[in-house]
Amino acid sequence: MSDVLDDLPQLDPAHFSRPDPSALFDVPRAEHAPRFLLLYGSLRERSYSRLLTEEAARLLRAMGGEVRLFNPSGLPLVDDAADDHPKVRELRELAQWAEGMVWCSPERHGAMTGLMKTQIDWIPLSVGAVRPTQGKTLAVMQVSGGSQSFNAVNQMRVLGRWMRMLTIPNQSSVAKAFAEFDEAGRMKPSAYYDRVVDVMEELFKFTLLTRDVAPYLVDRYSERKESAAELSRRVNQRSI
């Protein structure tokens, strides 16, 4: 390997390594039910994002998952309350508990709702040495009052990537959502419903595939190098 590195003078050999298949495949596999946190983006009495999220929850439970839905009612605006606010603390604890997430928002003014963004913004990128979302799986869904659109799911994909989540390829966008649910709030049989089943299947499978190796999947050369430099500075400061 040293011969190969000779042609890469930019690299720090101390922190560069070839990907190790055994770190991905020869690892103990968890046997507990996959844990999913589901967020929805509307507080309306008949919230179609909530109804769609509830359908997703039923499917994940039927597949063998453990599911929690976060009720965003009472969640304060970001920076308008302390981190120990009960709803903020509840959301953050659920984010740490979960191994995968579902985000479902209405599309409003061509974007996800403010409530959806508020929930995501309250989940920190790091808590001490722990990143609550890093390496966890994510599925994104949206509902629209009119024709089918993908603005909200596209935005949530950007946020998921920024939060270093493993966002699955599939997604759900339900057009004219008011026509897709019956009076009891259950989703009617349709191609839209079939897509939701597809998305939850894919989320479940990706979660099983990645949850035990997530730390290795998101381990980065640049951060290993930076962490070593920070450690060196701390040690040198102590010796002064």
Side-chain angles (χ1 to χ4, degrees), residues 13-15 22 35 47 62 70 72-73 78 89 95 100 136 162 166 169 174-175 184 197-198 212 216 221 224 236 238:
H15 305 293
S22 66
R35 302 190 296 258
S47 163
F70 176 71
S73 179
V78 176
R89 189 168 61 248
K136 298 184 179 184
W162 187 258
L166 306 175
V174 179
V197 179
D198 291 347
D212 299 308
Y216 186 69
Y221 163 78
R224 295 194 299 271
N236 290 335
R238 291 171 185 167

Side-chain angles (χ1 to χ4, degrees), residues 79-114:
D79 298 330
D80 198 34
D83 291 353
D84 61 357
H85 185 283
K87 294 297 292 189
V88 175
R89 189 168 61 248
E90 177 190 357
L91 176 58
R92 291 185 171 188
E93 288 173 356
L94 287 172
Q96 293 192 20
W97 165 85
E99 296 167 328
M101 294 190 196
V102 177
W103 295 349
C104 181
S105 177
E107 181 170 317
R108 186 170 296 164
H109 301 314
M112 78 180 81
T113 62

Side-chain angles (χ1 to χ4, degrees), residues 35-43 47-57 60-61 66-73 75 87-98 100-106 112-124 132-133 136-143 152-153 156 159-160 163 165 172 200 203:
R35 302 190 296 258
F36 298 100
L37 169 62
L38 280 60
L39 307 179
Y40 54 90
S42 169
L43 295 175
S47 163
Y48 294 109
S49 65
R50 175 178 56 79
L51 295 178
L52 184 58
T53 300
E54 289 173 351
E55 293 293 347
L60 290 170
R61 291 190 182 105
E66 186 177 355
V67 179
R68 308 278 176 84
L69 275 72
F70 176 71
N71 181 352
S73 179
L75 182 69
K87 294 297 292 189
V88 175
R89 189 168 61 248
E90 177 190 357
L91 176 58
R92 291 185 171 188
E93 288 173 356
L94 287 172
Q96 293 192 20
W97 165 85
M101 294 190 196
V102 177
W103 295 349
C104 181
S105 177
M112 78 180 81
T113 62
L115 178 64
M116 191 75 232
K117 184 63 161 57
T118 295
Q119 292 175 82
I120 296 169
D121 283 348
W122 268 122
I123 302 173
T133 55
K136 298 184 179 184
T137 52
L138 171 66
V140 293
M141 306 193 299
Q142 74 168 75
V143 293
V153 289
M156 289 187 285
L159 290 172
M163 298 173 79
M165 302 184 76
S172 169
M200 293 307 109
L203 175 66

